[in-house]
Amino acid sequence: MAFRARHLLGIEHLTQEDIRTVLDLADKYVDLNRRTVKKTDALAGMTQINMFFENSTRTQASFELAGKRLGADVMNMSMATSSVKKGETLIDTALTLNAMHPDLLVVRHQNSGAVDLLAQKVNCAVINAGDGKHEHPTQALLDALTIRREKGRIQRLTVAICGDVAHSRVARSNLILLNKMENRVRLIGPPTLMPSGIGEFGCEVYEDMREGLEGADVVMMLRLQKERMDGGFIPSEREYFHRYGLDAEKLAYAKDDAIVMHPGPMNRGVEIDGSIADDINRSVIQEQVEMGVAVRMAVMDLLAQNLRTERGRALVEGTYV
Amino acid sequence: MTLFLHDARLIDPEALTETRGNVVIDNGIIAAIGQMQAPADAEVIECGGKCLAPGIVDWGVKIGEPGERHKESFRSVAQAAAAGGVTTVIARPDTAPAIDTPETLEFVTRRAAQAPVRILHMAALTKGREGREMTEIGFLRDAGAVAFTDCDHVTTSTKVLTRAMTYARALGALIVSHPQEPGLSAGASVTSGKFATLRGLPGVSPMAERMGLERDLALVEMTGVAYHADQITTAHSLPALTRAKAAGLNVTAGISIHHLTLNEFDVGDYRTFFKFTPPLRSEADRLAMVAAVAEGTIDVICSLHTPADEESKRLPFEEADAGAVGLETLLPAAMRLYHAEQIGLPELFRALSLNPAKRLGLPQGRLAEGAPADLVLFDPEAPFVLDRWTLQSKSKNTPFDGARMQGRVLATFVAGQKVYNYDT
């Protein structure tokens, strides 16, 4: 077994082999999830706490389902309405929860690096479910699984990532993963939505969407946050759709068998035309959701195995607390 | 009382020389420098060939009084200064409340009087450092304010700043500014670029500093005020600074030791002890600034001592307070530049001691007969690993925790009195 990490904080810390290990195991969980009886006991007896400091329906549901299917006791804490509002610091919240002996903490936070900080203070496995504009590793892994199942491989592909790269943790994690797996990555978007120093990441940057899509195997669309639409970063919603929205005409520049992805939730008519999103021959958006549960099961299974090994060793050495 | 310092390596930042010799101190004043014998009644201190330099004049130290004494008090700051070879502390007015009235200034001056090192205060330029109304610059100056600054608050209204500058010029008061274009830097916690993007942190372009500086320099040209830019940290700002100096404007500039010895990558995995205002820059900028100090374009090196308690640092990077303590690490960190053969010791002490004293109209900062006997004896070679819990400062937020450093203060003298002695 290659995957030795204590936490999953970002794709940055993973090796090619780690990524393959996760994807291989996730493939097995895809099969399990398609059965009527979907339960295993990989996490039996373990406690999983989902801490979402930022509201999320889809990701939280995906993690909850993944934990339950692995047999864990899952608790959801909606931090947006809790004592954090009463002035408790992140560290104190973490220490309080840690005292309840969870085994897996799934954390989403609005600040980059907050999940790293929290992981230093607890003695369970921590999964980053998205921190600020930093990383969203399980999204990149589920995207990789989707691509591998559709294209038969996750290397030597031309992947175009389009839209609001600057504010997207999904784009960062995907960029790092795709680079690690030796793909050709293109970023497409208006320069106001490109982060600084992006030219140094070993990817190609396009301002013209048609040029950028030329010959692409995979087209990943990013969500454009509503609050960024008016005047601040782009002039208007309609001008954005005109220049960077994915429609049939622009998609025709990509390869004939190119797949279309979106991390959701979609703004139909802003970054993607509804008919493309619903085209079952091109869009794999529903598959991404399905792969999400399987990938999260795989990640939690692997982290739980490592946690058991670590605790077993600590018991033998007499350092278990 | 007479003191005889025997056989020291004398660092003279005025003559830019290093010589071997002795120093006689009489009544708190340097009485003689040279190869003379010890006077009959003198107490002899054996220097053993170690370096003797004018004590550091650290310009821009945050003391937590009034308002934040749990972070740093006059007592702790003086101990930290003495241990760091800092003989004159120039304190910042960004306290709570700000030092913006003669009454507040008198309070802190009284508190500072007991300290074993010299502590002088700058006062706020505008009331509450809010950039709306100028403070009583005349009264504050009479009460002992050595300069006027709103610290890291940029006076956005050019009208207010112009009037304050004009008024200050008439009084001969020095204005210290933190050049920054606040519209660009709002919300930023690192310098923009690859690292900022990789960490997903909001960044500010180094150009924001140049824009702030260019604006300030235009106003200096307009008003004729004496002006010091406290933090010039990027190569983009240097041409403007050079031009202003060549044009004969009354302008000087400084930089913190952190910006000379660390770069943006040191933040690593969101280490908040490396969060500064302005943020750490690229390695190319750092090297350009080191060269600018060596050639004298940048006049002053300071510690930008900013104590912060654990609670204000153990937060997500964006939310954590900026700043680090620096009084006790200023000298060993500066020795990194010496050991890298980038700056000689006389040039370093020109920026650490001589220039700040000269700019503020103080007699210290020199190793010359007749100058106050504010001296630091140090061993530039002595290696050690810094443990932040050994610092004298109440706050332990140093970026050098666990760092291998070279250069240890052996003794510090203020007006001929030994205020610190390193016990091996």
Side-chain angles (χ1 to χ4, degrees):
Chain A
M1 189 62 66
F3 192 90
R4 295 218 178 279
R6 166 83 188 264
H7 309 294
L8 179 68
L9 300 176
I11 299 294
E12 199 188 349
H13 310 289
L14 301 183
T15 63
Q16 266 199 16
E17 208 186 342
D18 288 337
I19 293 166
R20 286 214 185 82
T21 306
V22 173
L23 299 188
D24 291 346
L25 183 57
D27 267 331
K28 296 192 181 117
Y29 281 122
V30 173
D31 296 338
L32 178 77
N33 286 338
R34 287 178 180 172
R35 291 192 214 144
T36 311
V37 178
K38 304 174 177 68
K39 205 111 174 162
T40 70
D41 57 359
L43 259 60
M46 288 189 156
T47 307
Q48 171 192 341
I49 300 181
N50 296 334
M51 293 169 79
F52 280 65
F53 292 88
E54 229 179 36
N55 287 326
S56 154
T57 313
R58 306 155 60 96
T59 310
Q60 187 172 329
S62 183
F63 270 109
E64 184 177 355
L65 214 48
K68 284 182 171 162
R69 286 185 184 167
L70 291 172
D73 294 316
V74 185
M75 185 169 83
N76 287 318
M77 297 193 65
S78 168
M79 305 309 292
T81 53
S82 78
S83 53
V84 179
K85 281 262 159 80
K86 298 174 196 157
E88 189 176 65
T89 66
L90 178 63
I91 298 289
D92 285 335
T93 308
L95 292 176
T96 305
L97 281 179
N98 193 49
M100 300 178 195
H101 292 286
D103 303 287
L104 287 154
L105 269 184
V106 179
V107 187
R108 170 169 286 190
H109 198 278
Q110 61 278 9
N111 287 131
S112 304
V115 184
D116 289 51
L117 178 68
L118 197 143
Q120 293 165 22
K121 306 292 172 188
V122 296
N123 35 31
C124 60
V126 176
I127 300 174
N128 182 359
D131 63 325
K133 293 179 281 174
H134 178 220
E135 282 228 45
H136 189 356
T138 56
Q139 178 72 41
L141 289 165
L142 77 86
D143 287 342
L145 182 64
T146 310
I147 295 171
R148 195 171 82 166
R149 289 173 70 98
E150 292 291 327
K151 293 286 165 194
R153 64 178 197 274
I154 181 72
Q155 62 196 145
R156 297 187 315 281
L157 293 168
T158 301
V159 182
I161 303 177
C162 316
D164 184 2
V165 179
H167 302 98
S168 174
R169 54 193 173 215
V170 175
R172 271 179 194 61
S173 286
N174 265 313
L175 174 59
I176 298 168
L177 185 145
L178 292 165
N179 269 343
K180 266 192 186 162
M181 303 309 283
E182 298 161 20
N183 295 281
R184 186 171 173 185
V185 181
R186 296 175 178 175
L187 301 178
I188 305 170
T192 46
L193 294 178
M194 282 294 156
S196 60
I198 196 67
E200 296 167 51
F201 278 81
C203 55
E204 301 156 57
V205 181
Y206 291 88
E207 282 161 26
D208 184 305
M209 191 164 183
R210 292 174 182 85
E211 264 177 47
L213 289 181
E214 188 76 52
D217 296 291
V218 177
V219 181
M220 274 186 191
M221 300 307 297
L222 298 172
R223 175 180 163 76
L224 185 69
Q225 305 282 343
K226 286 263 183 219
E227 63 268 23
R228 306 215 164 91
M229 284 178 198
D230 298 316
F233 292 87
I234 51 163
S236 71
E237 202 176 303
R238 60 182 190 175
E239 179 161 329
Y240 184 80
F241 182 68
H242 177 69
R243 299 192 63 210
Y244 297 103
L246 187 68
D247 53 21
E249 187 265 326
K250 295 197 195 81
L251 183 58
Y253 284 83
K255 279 191 185 157
D256 291 339
D257 63 347
I259 54 169
V260 174
M261 307 175 74
H262 193 296
M266 281 183 283
N267 296 306
R268 287 169 187 262
V270 180
E271 69 257 355
I272 191 163
D273 190 280
S275 62
I276 300 283
D278 298 333
D279 182 349
I280 52 163
N281 294 317
R282 310 302 292 271
S283 163
V284 294
I285 296 169
Q286 296 308 315
E287 282 79 358
Q288 284 176 275
V289 179
E290 184 188 356
M291 295 310 125
V293 179
V295 151
R296 286 168 182 131
M297 289 170 79
V299 166
M300 289 198 283
D301 186 353
L302 291 166
L303 289 176
Q305 288 175 34
N306 292 350
L307 199 63
R308 282 204 189 89
T309 312
E310 185 189 309
R311 286 178 178 167
R313 199 182 304 125
L315 268 179
V316 171
E317 291 168 3
T319 53
Y320 187 81
V321 281
Chain B
M1 198 189 96
T2 310
L3 218 56
F4 183 70
L5 303 179
H6 180 248
D7 189 27
R9 184 172 152 196
L10 304 169
I11 313 296
D12 184 343
E14 266 182 311
L16 293 176
T17 55
E18 288 179 41
T19 50
R20 199 76 179 244
N22 314 325
V23 174
V24 179
I25 298 171
D26 204 10
N27 280 325
I29 302 290
I30 299 174
I33 299 173
Q35 300 298 333
M36 77 295 285
Q37 297 291 315
D41 56 341
E43 181 191 335
V44 178
I45 293 175
E46 196 52 59
C47 298
K50 302 296 187 223
C51 293
L52 189 70
I56 296 169
V57 179
D58 193 2
W59 190 350
V61 171
K62 166 85 178 266
I63 304 173
E65 295 189 46
E68 294 171 301
R69 204 159 73 177
H70 62 291
K71 295 184 181 173
E72 194 83 283
S73 65
F74 277 98
R75 189 191 170 88
S76 63
V77 87
Q79 283 169 346
V86 174
T87 50
T88 303
V89 167
I90 309 295
R92 305 206 305 251
D94 55 345
T95 44
I99 301 170
D100 59 358
T101 63
E103 289 76 15
T104 318
L105 181 58
E106 272 159 26
F107 165 76
V108 290
T109 307
R110 209 162 51 238
R111 294 279 300 150
Q114 318 293 328
V117 300
R118 301 177 202 264
I119 301 180
L120 298 167
H121 283 90
M122 295 191 279
L125 180 65
T126 65
K127 288 174 187 161
R129 302 194 298 129
E130 286 171 351
R132 284 200 287 272
E133 301 163 64
M134 69 177 93
T135 51
E136 293 169 311
I137 298 176
F139 279 153
L140 285 161
R141 209 165 134 69
D142 293 344
V146 291
F148 294 83
T149 183
D150 283 346
C151 303
D152 59 350
H153 286 189
V154 177
T155 310
T156 45
S157 162
T158 39
K159 192 154 246 170
V160 171
L161 185 57
T162 309
R163 286 179 186 151
M165 280 180 162
T166 307
Y167 195 84
R169 198 248 316 133
L171 290 166
L174 173 66
I175 284 187
V176 180
S177 164
H178 181 91
Q180 194 66 227
E181 166 49 49
L184 275 183
S185 64
S189 54
V190 289
T191 300
S192 60
K194 184 184 178 182
F195 181 77
T197 296
L198 203 56
R199 287 287 172 274
L201 292 170
V204 57
S205 163
M207 217 51 104
E209 179 182 297
R210 175 188 147 183
M211 291 169 70
L213 180 66
E214 298 258 26
R215 178 199 72 154
D216 285 2
L217 292 175
L219 295 178
V220 170
E221 192 177 331
M222 192 166 124
T223 60
V225 75
Y227 172 90
H228 176 74
D230 79 328
Q231 294 297 317
I232 295 300
T233 59
T234 154
H236 296 283
S237 302
L238 290 175
L241 189 60
T242 312
R243 237 183 299 125
K245 286 186 166 185
L249 300 187
N250 192 350
V251 167
T252 49
I255 186 171
S256 92
I257 191 65
H258 301 119
H259 289 89
L260 291 173
T261 52
L262 305 168
N263 70 28
E264 54 183 346
F265 297 120
D266 285 306
V267 169
D269 283 327
Y270 305 98
R271 295 192 290 174
T272 55
F273 284 9
F274 291 81
K275 181 176 178 181
F276 294 96
T277 313
L280 292 173
R281 306 299 193 185
S282 68
E283 178 65 3
D285 269 340
R286 184 187 77 84
L287 291 172
M289 301 325 283
V290 172
V293 172
E295 67 188 34
T297 311
I298 299 287
D299 306 271
V300 173
I301 301 176
C302 63
S303 72
L304 201 66
H305 183 83
T306 307
D309 53 10
E310 301 289 304
E311 279 66 39
S312 51
K313 283 291 189 182
R314 275 198 310 194
L315 290 170
F317 197 84
E318 284 169 66
E319 289 177 1
D321 282 357
V325 291
L327 282 165
E328 293 161 80
T329 46
L330 177 53
L331 187 134
M335 286 307 115
R336 286 186 172 181
L337 307 175
Y338 163 69
H339 290 298
E341 295 177 1
Q342 290 165 319
I343 306 185
L345 289 178
E347 287 81 7
L348 267 177
F349 279 87
R350 180 177 62 184
L352 288 167
S353 309
L354 176 68
N355 283 346
K358 251 170 55 180
R359 186 59 168 153
L360 291 160
L362 306 173
Q364 53 265 35
R366 296 175 299 138
L367 193 68
E369 288 169 17
D374 291 8
L375 300 165
V376 54
L377 179 69
F378 66 98
D379 179 354
E381 312 296 334
F384 65 99
V385 175
L386 187 90
D387 171 1
R388 69 189 183 112
W389 299 107
T390 63
L391 294 177
Q392 302 290 320
S393 277
K394 271 195 183 178
S395 296
K396 315 292 182 190
N397 54 314
T398 170
F400 297 112
D401 185 39
R404 289 164 194 279
M405 307 195 91
Q406 244 184 309
R408 194 184 275 291
V409 175
L410 301 174
T412 307
F413 303 87
V414 176
Q417 300 290 315
K418 191 189 269 195
V419 295
Y420 173 79
N421 190 43
Y422 174 67
D423 298 313
T424 40

